Amino acid sequence: MEKTTTDLSVRIAGMTLRNPVMTASGTFGYGGEFRELVDLKRLGAIIVKGLSLDPSHGNPPPRIVETPCGMLNAIGLENIGIKAFRATRLKFLQQLGTPIIVNIYGQREEDYVALAKIVDEESDISAIEVNISCPNVKAGGIAFGVDPTAAADLTRRIRAATSKPLILKLSPNVTDIAAIARAVEQEGADAVSLINTITGMAIDVETRRPKLANITGGLSGPAIRPVAVRMVWQVAGAVSIPVIGIGGIMNGRDALEFLIAGASAIQVGTANFVNPRATMDIIDVLQGFMQKQGISRVKDLIGSLRLDG
Ligand SMILES: Cc1cc2nc3c(=O)[nH]c(=O)nc-3n(C[C@H](O)[C@H](O)[C@H](O)COP(=O)(O)O)c2cc1C
Protein backbone atom coordinates (compact mmCIF):
# COMPACT_ATOMS: atom_id res chain seq x y z
CA MET A 1 0.00 0.00 0.00
CA GLU A 2 1.26 3.47 -0.87
CA LYS A 3 2.08 5.68 2.11
CA THR A 4 0.10 8.90 2.53
CA THR A 5 2.30 11.97 2.12
CA THR A 6 1.84 14.00 5.26
CA ASP A 7 1.67 17.77 5.52
CA LEU A 8 2.33 18.73 9.12
CA SER A 9 2.45 22.49 8.49
CA VAL A 10 0.17 24.85 10.36
CA ARG A 11 -0.43 28.59 10.17
CA ILE A 12 -0.55 30.57 13.37
CA ALA A 13 -0.62 34.32 13.81
CA GLY A 14 0.75 34.94 10.32
CA MET A 15 3.56 32.37 10.73
CA THR A 16 3.80 29.11 8.83
CA LEU A 17 5.27 26.41 11.05
CA ARG A 18 6.69 23.21 9.51
CA ASN A 19 4.84 21.24 12.18
CA PRO A 20 2.69 22.05 15.21
CA VAL A 21 5.31 21.11 17.83
CA MET A 22 6.88 23.91 19.87
CA THR A 23 8.86 24.05 23.10
CA ALA A 24 7.16 25.53 26.17
CA SER A 25 8.77 28.55 27.76
CA GLY A 26 11.05 27.86 30.72
CA THR A 27 11.53 24.18 29.94
CA PHE A 28 13.94 24.42 27.00
CA GLY A 29 16.36 27.12 28.18
CA TYR A 30 17.26 29.48 25.34
CA GLY A 31 17.24 26.61 22.84
CA GLY A 32 21.00 26.22 22.41
CA GLU A 33 21.23 24.09 25.58
CA PHE A 34 19.43 21.31 23.66
CA ARG A 35 21.51 21.46 20.47
CA GLU A 36 23.28 18.13 21.14
CA LEU A 37 20.04 16.33 21.97
CA VAL A 38 17.46 17.69 19.57
CA ASP A 39 17.51 18.58 15.89
CA LEU A 40 16.42 22.17 16.48
CA LYS A 41 15.77 22.61 12.75
CA ARG A 42 12.94 20.07 12.94
CA LEU A 43 10.93 21.93 15.58
CA GLY A 44 7.82 23.88 14.59
CA ALA A 45 9.05 26.80 16.71
CA ILE A 46 11.30 27.44 19.68
CA ILE A 47 9.86 29.41 22.57
CA VAL A 48 12.58 30.61 24.88
CA LYS A 49 12.63 31.05 28.65
CA GLY A 50 10.52 34.00 29.90
CA LEU A 51 12.50 37.24 29.54
CA SER A 52 12.24 40.38 31.64
CA LEU A 53 13.76 43.83 31.10
CA ASP A 54 16.47 43.22 33.70
CA PRO A 55 18.11 39.92 34.60
CA SER A 56 16.38 38.03 37.42
CA HIS A 57 17.79 35.50 39.91
CA GLY A 58 14.34 34.05 40.57
CA ASN A 59 13.32 32.57 43.93
CA PRO A 60 15.54 30.99 46.59
CA PRO A 61 15.78 27.16 46.70
CA PRO A 62 14.17 24.67 47.06
CA ARG A 63 12.42 25.61 43.82
CA ILE A 64 11.24 22.25 42.51
CA VAL A 65 9.24 19.42 44.08
CA GLU A 66 8.22 16.20 42.41
CA THR A 67 4.49 15.43 42.78
CA PRO A 68 2.29 12.54 41.61
CA CYS A 69 2.42 12.64 37.80
CA GLY A 70 4.00 16.06 37.72
CA MET A 71 6.08 18.69 39.43
CA LEU A 72 5.68 21.92 41.32
CA ASN A 73 8.06 24.72 40.40
CA ALA A 74 8.73 28.09 41.91
CA ILE A 75 11.73 29.06 39.79
CA GLY A 76 10.47 32.62 39.88
CA LEU A 77 11.23 33.31 36.22
CA GLU A 78 15.02 33.43 36.56
CA ASN A 79 16.50 34.73 33.29
CA ILE A 80 19.37 36.70 31.79
CA GLY A 81 17.23 39.67 30.69
CA ILE A 82 16.28 40.81 27.21
CA LYS A 83 19.53 42.70 26.52
CA ALA A 84 21.82 39.75 27.28
CA PHE A 85 19.48 37.48 25.31
CA ARG A 86 19.85 39.65 22.22
CA ALA A 87 23.60 39.98 22.69
CA THR A 88 24.47 36.37 23.46
CA ARG A 89 21.74 33.96 22.32
CA LEU A 90 19.97 35.31 19.29
CA LYS A 91 22.77 34.81 16.78
CA PHE A 92 22.85 31.05 17.33
CA LEU A 93 19.07 30.78 17.12
CA GLN A 94 18.67 32.88 14.02
CA GLN A 95 20.78 30.61 11.79
CA LEU A 96 18.53 27.61 12.51
CA GLY A 97 15.72 28.77 10.24
CA THR A 98 13.22 27.73 12.94
CA PRO A 99 10.79 30.44 14.05
CA ILE A 100 11.91 31.95 17.36
CA ILE A 101 9.23 33.11 19.76
CA VAL A 102 10.22 35.24 22.69
CA ASN A 103 8.21 34.89 25.91
CA ILE A 104 8.03 38.11 27.94
CA TYR A 105 6.85 39.02 31.43
CA GLY A 106 6.82 42.03 33.70
CA GLN A 107 5.42 43.42 36.90
CA ARG A 108 3.87 46.52 35.34
CA GLU A 109 2.19 47.22 32.02
CA GLU A 110 5.12 49.50 31.18
CA ASP A 111 7.59 46.61 31.53
CA TYR A 112 5.68 44.59 28.92
CA VAL A 113 5.43 47.60 26.61
CA ALA A 114 9.17 48.30 26.86
CA LEU A 115 9.97 44.61 26.19
CA ALA A 116 7.63 44.51 23.20
CA LYS A 117 9.30 47.59 21.72
CA ILE A 118 12.74 46.01 22.07
CA VAL A 119 11.59 42.73 20.49
CA ASP A 120 9.88 44.66 17.71
CA GLU A 121 13.31 45.88 16.51
CA GLU A 122 14.60 42.33 16.09
CA SER A 123 13.80 40.92 12.66
CA ASP A 124 14.98 37.44 13.70
CA ILE A 125 12.21 37.07 16.26
CA SER A 126 9.02 35.72 14.70
CA ALA A 127 6.51 36.41 17.45
CA ILE A 128 6.00 37.41 21.07
CA GLU A 129 4.34 35.20 23.66
CA VAL A 130 3.08 37.22 26.62
CA ASN A 131 3.04 35.52 30.02
CA ILE A 132 0.17 37.16 31.87
CA SER A 133 0.30 34.83 34.89
CA CYS A 134 2.45 37.40 36.70
CA PRO A 135 1.53 39.60 39.64
CA ASN A 136 0.63 43.16 38.68
CA VAL A 137 2.30 45.29 41.36
CA LYS A 138 -0.11 48.16 40.73
CA ALA A 139 -3.10 45.88 41.40
CA GLY A 140 -1.75 44.62 44.73
CA GLY A 141 -0.10 41.58 43.18
CA ILE A 142 -3.13 40.08 41.45
CA ALA A 143 -2.04 38.41 38.22
CA PHE A 144 -2.88 40.25 34.95
CA GLY A 145 -4.27 37.01 33.57
CA VAL A 146 -7.03 36.46 36.13
CA ASP A 147 -9.09 39.53 35.31
CA PRO A 148 -10.56 40.09 31.82
CA THR A 149 -10.23 43.89 32.10
CA ALA A 150 -6.59 43.79 33.23
CA ALA A 151 -5.76 41.21 30.54
CA ALA A 152 -7.50 43.32 27.88
CA ASP A 153 -5.79 46.57 28.95
CA LEU A 154 -2.40 44.89 28.90
CA THR A 155 -3.03 43.38 25.47
CA ARG A 156 -4.14 46.75 24.05
CA ARG A 157 -0.95 48.45 25.25
CA ILE A 158 1.37 45.73 23.97
CA ARG A 159 -0.51 45.63 20.65
CA ALA A 160 0.17 49.36 20.21
CA ALA A 161 3.89 48.81 20.86
CA THR A 162 4.66 46.10 18.29
CA SER A 163 3.66 44.81 14.89
CA LYS A 164 4.96 41.30 15.70
CA PRO A 165 2.41 38.49 16.00
CA LEU A 166 1.17 38.43 19.60
CA ILE A 167 0.38 35.22 21.46
CA LEU A 168 -1.27 35.74 24.84
CA LYS A 169 -0.43 32.90 27.25
CA LEU A 170 -3.38 32.35 29.52
CA SER A 171 -3.49 31.38 33.18
CA PRO A 172 -5.62 28.41 34.22
CA ASN A 173 -6.06 29.87 37.71
CA VAL A 174 -9.36 31.49 36.74
CA THR A 175 -13.06 30.68 36.84
CA ASP A 176 -13.82 31.39 33.18
CA ILE A 177 -10.81 31.08 30.88
CA ALA A 178 -12.97 31.61 27.77
CA ALA A 179 -13.87 35.11 29.02
CA ILE A 180 -10.17 36.02 29.30
CA ALA A 181 -9.49 34.57 25.83
CA ARG A 182 -12.31 36.65 24.31
CA ALA A 183 -11.05 39.78 26.10
CA VAL A 184 -7.52 39.48 24.67
CA GLU A 185 -8.82 38.54 21.21
CA GLN A 186 -10.86 41.75 21.13
CA GLU A 187 -7.73 43.81 21.87
CA GLY A 188 -5.69 42.36 19.05
CA ALA A 189 -4.12 39.09 20.22
CA ASP A 190 -3.26 36.97 17.17
CA ALA A 191 -3.36 33.68 19.10
CA VAL A 192 -3.70 32.38 22.64
CA SER A 193 -1.63 29.67 24.29
CA LEU A 194 -2.83 27.70 27.29
CA ILE A 195 -2.33 26.54 29.93
CA ASN A 196 0.35 27.94 32.17
CA THR A 197 0.92 26.07 35.44
CA ILE A 198 -1.82 25.55 38.04
CA THR A 199 -0.99 27.03 41.44
CA GLY A 200 -0.29 24.32 43.99
CA MET A 201 1.43 23.63 47.31
CA ALA A 202 3.14 20.71 49.04
CA ILE A 203 3.99 20.29 52.73
CA ASP A 204 6.67 18.20 54.47
CA VAL A 205 4.66 16.66 57.32
CA GLU A 206 7.73 15.91 59.46
CA THR A 207 8.94 19.50 59.56
CA ARG A 208 5.45 20.95 58.84
CA ARG A 209 7.13 23.32 56.43
CA PRO A 210 6.22 24.03 52.83
CA LYS A 211 8.39 22.00 50.45
CA LEU A 212 9.05 25.10 48.34
CA ALA A 213 10.80 28.15 49.78
CA ASN A 214 8.22 30.26 47.92
CA ILE A 215 5.45 28.26 49.72
CA THR A 216 3.36 27.87 46.54
CA GLY A 217 4.42 26.86 43.05
CA GLY A 218 3.13 25.99 39.60
CA LEU A 219 1.96 22.46 38.92
CA SER A 220 2.88 21.01 35.52
CA GLY A 221 3.15 17.61 33.83
CA PRO A 222 0.61 14.84 33.09
CA ALA A 223 -1.35 15.68 36.29
CA ILE A 224 -2.69 18.85 34.63
CA ARG A 225 -3.39 17.43 31.14
CA PRO A 226 -7.14 16.77 31.52
CA VAL A 227 -7.64 20.31 32.84
CA ALA A 228 -5.63 21.70 29.92
CA VAL A 229 -7.51 19.67 27.31
CA ARG A 230 -10.82 20.85 28.76
CA MET A 231 -9.69 24.50 28.73
CA VAL A 232 -8.34 24.27 25.17
CA TRP A 233 -11.66 22.82 24.03
CA GLN A 234 -13.61 25.61 25.78
CA VAL A 235 -11.39 28.39 24.44
CA ALA A 236 -11.32 26.98 20.89
CA GLY A 237 -15.11 27.17 20.93
CA ALA A 238 -15.08 30.76 22.20
CA VAL A 239 -12.58 32.58 19.94
CA SER A 240 -11.73 32.66 16.24
CA ILE A 241 -7.97 33.13 16.66
CA PRO A 242 -5.75 30.01 16.83
CA VAL A 243 -5.30 28.22 20.14
CA ILE A 244 -1.99 26.65 21.15
CA GLY A 245 -2.38 23.75 23.59
CA ILE A 246 -0.01 23.20 26.52
CA GLY A 247 -0.14 21.00 29.60
CA GLY A 248 1.28 17.58 30.35
CA ILE A 249 2.02 16.62 26.76
CA MET A 250 4.46 13.73 27.13
CA ASN A 251 4.01 11.90 23.82
CA GLY A 252 2.40 12.00 20.40
CA ARG A 253 -0.95 10.68 21.53
CA ASP A 254 -1.19 13.42 24.17
CA ALA A 255 -0.44 15.99 21.45
CA LEU A 256 -3.20 14.49 19.29
CA GLU A 257 -5.72 14.96 22.12
CA PHE A 258 -5.04 18.70 22.07
CA LEU A 259 -5.24 18.98 18.27
CA ILE A 260 -8.55 17.12 18.23
CA ALA A 261 -9.82 19.37 21.06
CA GLY A 262 -9.16 22.39 18.82
CA ALA A 263 -5.50 23.38 19.26
CA SER A 264 -3.74 24.47 16.05
CA ALA A 265 -0.35 23.72 17.62
CA ILE A 266 1.05 22.41 20.89
CA GLN A 267 3.90 23.10 23.29
CA VAL A 268 5.98 20.54 25.14
CA GLY A 269 7.13 21.52 28.64
CA THR A 270 7.84 19.19 31.57
CA ALA A 271 8.36 16.27 29.15
CA ASN A 272 11.67 17.88 28.09
CA PHE A 273 13.04 17.18 31.60
CA VAL A 274 12.02 13.51 31.45
CA ASN A 275 12.98 12.88 27.84
CA PRO A 276 14.97 15.67 26.19
CA ARG A 277 14.01 14.24 22.78
CA ALA A 278 10.27 14.30 23.55
CA THR A 279 9.60 16.91 20.84
CA MET A 280 11.27 14.77 18.15
CA ASP A 281 9.36 11.66 19.24
CA ILE A 282 6.09 13.60 19.16
CA ILE A 283 6.70 14.78 15.57
CA ASP A 284 7.43 11.17 14.53
CA VAL A 285 4.31 9.83 16.23
CA LEU A 286 2.09 12.54 14.67
CA GLN A 287 3.42 11.65 11.24
CA GLY A 288 2.98 7.89 11.85
CA PHE A 289 -0.57 8.37 13.15
CA MET A 290 -1.53 10.41 10.08
CA GLN A 291 -0.04 7.82 7.73
CA LYS A 292 -1.86 5.00 9.49
CA GLN A 293 -5.17 6.85 9.45
CA GLY A 294 -4.74 8.15 5.88
CA ILE A 295 -4.83 11.80 6.97
CA SER A 296 -2.75 13.91 4.61
CA ARG A 297 -2.91 17.29 6.38
CA VAL A 298 -2.53 17.82 10.11
CA LYS A 299 -4.92 20.76 9.69
CA ASP A 300 -7.71 18.23 9.16
CA LEU A 301 -7.22 16.92 12.68
CA ILE A 302 -7.60 20.32 14.36
CA GLY A 303 -10.91 20.58 16.19
CA SER A 304 -12.06 17.25 14.79
CA LEU A 305 -13.60 16.11 18.09
CA ARG A 306 -16.70 13.97 17.47
CA LEU A 307 -19.63 14.65 19.71
CA ASP A 308 -22.33 12.92 17.69
CA GLY A 309 -23.83 9.69 19.00
C1 LIG B 1 10.54 24.78 35.33
C2 LIG B 1 9.47 25.53 34.58
C3 LIG B 1 9.71 26.84 34.18
C4 LIG B 1 8.72 27.55 33.48
N1 LIG B 1 8.98 28.84 33.09
C5 LIG B 1 8.04 29.53 32.37
C6 LIG B 1 8.32 30.84 31.87
O1 LIG B 1 9.42 31.38 32.04
N2 LIG B 1 7.33 31.50 31.19
C7 LIG B 1 6.10 30.91 30.96
O2 LIG B 1 5.24 31.54 30.32
N3 LIG B 1 5.83 29.66 31.39
C8 LIG B 1 6.76 28.96 32.08
N4 LIG B 1 6.50 27.67 32.49
C9 LIG B 1 5.19 27.04 32.15
C10 LIG B 1 5.33 26.13 30.93
O3 LIG B 1 5.72 26.83 29.79
C11 LIG B 1 3.98 25.40 30.65
O4 LIG B 1 2.97 26.36 30.37
C12 LIG B 1 3.52 24.54 31.82
O5 LIG B 1 4.62 23.92 32.46
C13 LIG B 1 2.51 23.46 31.40
O6 LIG B 1 3.06 22.59 30.43
P1 LIG B 1 3.76 21.16 30.78
O7 LIG B 1 2.81 20.43 31.69
O8 LIG B 1 3.99 20.51 29.46
O9 LIG B 1 5.03 21.49 31.49
C14 LIG B 1 7.46 26.93 33.19
C15 LIG B 1 7.25 25.60 33.59
C16 LIG B 1 8.22 24.90 34.26
C17 LIG B 1 7.94 23.47 34.67
Side-chain angles (χ1 to χ4, degrees):
M1 205 175 74
E2 211 173 286
K3 273 200 171 170
T4 316
T5 37
T6 48
D7 174 9
L8 269 81
S9 70
V10 289
R11 260 188 86 70
I12 290 193
M15 298 178 284
T16 300
L17 311 183
R18 59 174 74 93
N19 63 60
V21 181
M22 317 183 189
T23 58
S25 181
T27 66
F28 206 71
Y30 303 102
E33 295 88 331
F34 281 73
R35 79 182 92 180
E36 307 285 326
L37 300 157
V38 168
D39 181 358
L40 299 170
K41 295 189 162 106
R42 271 189 83 198
L43 288 167
I46 296 174
I47 305 186
V48 299
K49 208 186 235 279
L51 293 165
S52 45
L53 276 177
D54 297 314
S56 165
H57 295 301
N59 291 323
R63 311 201 287 186
I64 286 186
V65 177
E66 203 170 324
T67 58
C69 295
M71 62 184 269
L72 272 175
N73 95 81
I75 303 290
L77 300 166
E78 176 184 348
N79 77 98
I80 59 175
I82 188 75
K83 286 187 201 80
F85 171 76
R86 282 176 90 184
T88 64
R89 310 294 170 132
L90 204 49
K91 201 157 177 237
F92 166 76
L93 293 171
Q94 124 220 324
Q95 47 81 35
L96 296 170
T98 298
I100 304 303
I101 301 176
V102 158
N103 177 292
I104 60 168
Y105 78 90
Q107 293 178 314
R108 296 164 207 86
E109 284 189 356
E110 298 84 79
D111 299 344
Y112 285 93
V113 169
L115 281 156
K117 283 185 177 157
I118 294 171
V119 175
D120 199 58
E121 290 166 12
E122 217 39 93
S123 60
D124 295 320
I125 297 173
S126 298
I128 303 176
E129 182 179 60
V130 185
N131 178 1
I132 58 172
S133 302
C134 305
N136 175 357
V137 288
K138 281 200 190 138
I142 297 168
F144 292 96
V146 303
D147 172 39
T149 310
D153 288 347
L154 181 63
T155 308
R156 187 182 321 117
R157 291 200 56 187
I158 303 174
R159 179 70 292 167
T162 177
S163 55
K164 296 268 186 213
L166 269 190
I167 303 166
L168 269 285
K169 182 166 179 180
L170 307 184
S171 167
N173 303 312
V174 296
T175 313
D176 184 1
I177 197 164
I180 312 274
R182 278 193 297 264
V184 301
E185 178 184 37
Q186 259 167 20
E187 296 302 338
D190 299 297
V192 284
S193 56
L194 60 139
I195 60 176
N196 211 317
T197 53
I198 300 178
T199 307
M201 181 171 169
I203 298 171
D204 180 331
V205 296
E206 304 299 334
T207 62
R208 302 191 197 177
R209 291 185 165 280
K211 287 189 178 173
L212 291 168
N214 189 57
I215 306 177
T216 61
L219 183 64
S220 65
I224 71 169
R225 191 169 59 243
V227 177
V229 172
R230 183 264 294 178
M231 287 187 161
V232 163
W233 175 67
Q234 285 180 326
V235 169
V239 296
S240 15
I241 50 177
V243 176
I244 302 168
I246 327 166
I249 299 177
M250 307 304 281
N251 57 47
R253 297 191 80 82
D254 298 343
L256 281 159
E257 262 197 78
F258 281 83
L259 297 176
I260 294 167
S264 297
I266 57 99
Q267 294 180 18
V268 180
T270 302
N272 294 308
F273 300 130
V274 183
N275 166 18
R277 288 187 51 79
T279 45
M280 301 291 102
D281 296 348
I282 290 170
I283 297 166
D284 292 340
V285 170
L286 283 184
Q287 205 153 19
F289 179 88
M290 287 167 63
Q291 275 167 355
K292 207 165 138 213
Q293 298 241 339
I295 300 163
S296 54
R297 304 181 321 159
V298 79
K299 293 183 193 101
D300 296 336
L301 275 168
I302 298 167
S304 62
L305 181 71
R306 291 179 182 150
L307 292 174
D308 47 329

